[in-house]
Amino acid sequence: MTDWDHEADVVVLGSGGAGLTAALTAAVNGATVEVYEKAATVGGTTAVSGGIVWIPAHPRSADGELTAEDAMAYLRAQSLGYMDDELVETFVQSGAPMLDFLEGHSDLVFEVAAGFPDYKPELPGGKPGGGRSLHAGPFDLARLGEWRDRITSFPADFSNVGIDAETRARIHAAVDNESGDYCVAGTALIAGLLHSLLDRGITPHTEARAVELIADPLGITGVRIEQGDRDFRVRAHRGVVLGTGGFEWDQRLVEAYLRGPMRGAVSPPNNTGDGLRMAMAHGADLANMGEAWWVPIVQIPGDTFEGQPRSRSVRLERTRPRSIIVNRAGRRFLNEAGEYNSMAGPFHFLDPKLGYANDPAWIVFDSIHLK
Ligand SMILES: Cc1cc2nc3c(=O)[nH]c(=O)nc-3n(C[C@H](O)[C@H](O)[C@H](O)COP(=O)(O)OP(=O)(O)OC[C@H]3O[C@@H](n4cnc5c(N)ncnc54)[C@H](O)[C@@H]3O)c2cc1C
């Protein structure tokens, strides 16, 4: 018999986009909710991300309704026959209602991201003119009161060259309102979700790490949390939501599961696969473990962040006119102007030297060489 220290209908672990959205959904549907976050700040990777949500079928595009049929064709064209149609259709059909739900129960407003095409626009059902990528509008941090400074953030120059003028314009990086303290992109998404939860009296517990799921013979009944020198058990009457992010900061899990080498992560260092390990301890089925959100990086000798070698994503500079990427043999081996996520493929498979023998690639700009 477990002694419980706290209880709630739904216990959410992690305060990224997944965790906070789950918490809001449960609360709107009448559940009591507790959110536990391992870091001192909320928002996880989501807060430092571009915050783009890809909703493939919705009626909000200036070009008219984006249909589920086109969306399914586009996703099928990328799946090489491995797609679970029912699961994918659920995702496709749920996107538009999800946007409506969040807008109806928070101050978030989603805008179609201008000039943001599908990543494989040439495929059947692809949208070269964009429309499926949306982002949260700017959010005034001053509205969060004491939580204003408690959203996870990175130094402004987290990429190699920062943000270009087009991106800046797209995400409203210069908001023309001097009385506010506006954030954009993933931070705005988290700020909007957080504001709505705080409004409902749900205050995330920070520096509170979930360490173990507790079960009885019928299933998971709660979770054990460590917070400072406290160790306590929280009963979940209706369920525990694992929103603890990825495992890219756990070298053993990276080597065991990812489909190729990963040299450095560009996310906050708290994603160590805790939820994954807790679920595995109770026999969870796993799938799609080899995939990730991939991006090429550079590491500059001596450049560190929070005591770790710092990885900077290479995003815009590689697509500039007269920029090419070559291997040590001086040969090009990928399309530099392609979207970042697919670039992991050539790194992993087409150039084994780059993937497996620890050889870096060279990015050759007009006159700058970066290793
Ligand atoms: C630079 C960058 C840009 C990106 N841009 C985009 C984009 O524009 N669009 C897109 O779709 N994707 C993007 N991605 C990917 C996307 O950000 C992630 O897939 C997404 O944010 C994951 O959300 P999440 O809520 O699952 O996890 P996270 O946002 O990582 O949140 C997980 C949270 O769980 C906490 N946690 C971990 N372990 C525990 C524990 N034991 N107990 C309690 N809490 C715990 C973590 O501290 C963290 O706060 C980007 C990624 C990066 C790195």
Side-chain angles (χ1 to χ4, degrees):
M1 192 80 169
T2 307
D3 287 334
W4 301 104
D5 301 291
H6 301 288
E7 60 182 339
D9 292 328
V10 175
V11 176
V12 175
L13 309 180
S15 66
L20 295 189
T21 302
L24 181 59
T25 307
V28 168
N29 284 286
T32 55
V33 180
E34 296 287 344
V35 179
Y36 293 95
E37 166 56 51
K38 171 180 172 179
T41 50
V42 297
T45 312
T46 312
V48 299
S49 78
I52 294 278
V53 291
W54 191 76
I55 304 298
H58 64 76
R60 300 168 177 230
S61 164
D63 297 335
E65 170 130 12
L66 305 179
T67 67
E69 290 71 31
D70 276 354
M72 291 299 286
Y74 179 64
L75 290 164
R76 199 170 284 120
Q78 298 187 62
S79 70
L80 305 176
Y82 285 99
M83 185 165 109
D84 175 341
D85 272 48
E86 197 182 330
L87 182 66
V88 174
E89 181 131 23
T90 302
F91 162 69
V92 167
Q93 299 284 4
S94 308
M98 186 273 294
L99 295 176
D100 293 342
F101 175 88
L102 288 181
E103 288 181 342
H105 297 286
S106 73
D107 295 334
L108 285 169
V109 178
F110 290 95
E111 306 169 355
V112 171
F116 207 102
D118 278 343
Y119 281 9
K120 304 236 180 269
E122 70 281 8
L123 292 181
K127 300 282 175 205
R132 289 170 168 155
S133 298
L134 300 101
H135 57 90
F139 197 93
D140 184 357
L141 285 169
R143 300 177 60 204
L144 290 176
E146 65 184 57
W147 282 86
R148 185 210 167 290
D149 297 318
R150 297 184 64 188
I151 296 182
T152 303
S153 62
F154 272 171
D157 65 335
F158 70 90
S159 105
N160 205 26
V161 291
I163 303 180
D164 67 328
E166 294 87 347
T167 307
R168 221 170 254 285
R170 177 171 59 70
I171 64 176
H172 311 276
V175 179
D176 191 17
N177 181 341
E178 288 177 13
S179 63
D181 187 3
Y182 283 89
C183 61
V184 295
T187 316
L189 182 58
I190 290 297
L193 291 168
L194 177 62
H195 186 258
S196 180
L197 288 171
L198 295 172
D199 255 5
R200 288 176 162 74
I202 299 166
T203 306
H205 306 271
T206 53
E207 295 180 278
R209 179 180 190 172
V211 288
E212 182 190 356
L213 295 174
I214 301 166
D216 70 11
L218 294 179
I220 303 298
T221 52
V223 61
R224 186 160 71 82
I225 305 283
E226 285 178 358
Q227 188 179 35
D229 51 12
R230 293 174 63 218
D231 187 319
F232 54 92
R233 289 165 172 71
V234 188
R235 173 147 199 208
H237 291 287
R238 306 291 294 277
V240 176
V241 176
L242 298 178
T244 51
F247 55 83
E248 65 274 18
W249 286 93
D250 183 296
Q251 192 54 31
R252 284 188 62 193
L253 292 174
V254 164
E255 283 168 16
Y257 289 120
L258 288 186
R259 69 175 197 211
M262 190 204 74
R263 304 209 178 283
V266 291
S267 57
N270 302 301
N271 291 354
T272 50
D274 296 7
L276 175 64
R277 286 188 196 276
M278 286 189 278
M280 286 162 79
H282 288 272
D285 283 340
L286 304 178
N288 288 335
M289 295 295 289
E291 273 308 331
W293 180 93
W294 300 103
V295 68
I297 56 155
V298 289
Q299 289 181 335
I300 300 168
D303 184 24
T304 58
F305 179 62
E306 292 188 357
Q308 309 258 19
R310 180 172 176 186
S311 301
R312 295 164 184 257
S313 53
V314 180
R315 299 182 307 163
L316 304 163
E317 51 277 65
R318 66 184 163 76
T319 67
R320 300 286 189 226
R322 298 186 298 279
S323 294
I324 58 168
I325 299 180
V326 296
N327 65 9
R328 266 166 57 118
R331 294 207 179 90
R332 290 181 69 212
F333 60 99
L334 46 65
N335 173 7
E336 296 84 354
E339 42 87 16
Y340 50 83
N341 193 56
S342 297
M343 295 182 85
F347 272 97
H348 287 159
F349 298 116
L350 298 184
D351 192 334
K353 272 191 178 173
L354 286 166
Y356 299 101
N358 222 16
D359 281 349
W362 292 84
I363 305 170
V364 183
F365 301 96
D366 271 358
S367 57
I368 311 166
H369 290 203
L370 282 181
K371 200 174 183 183

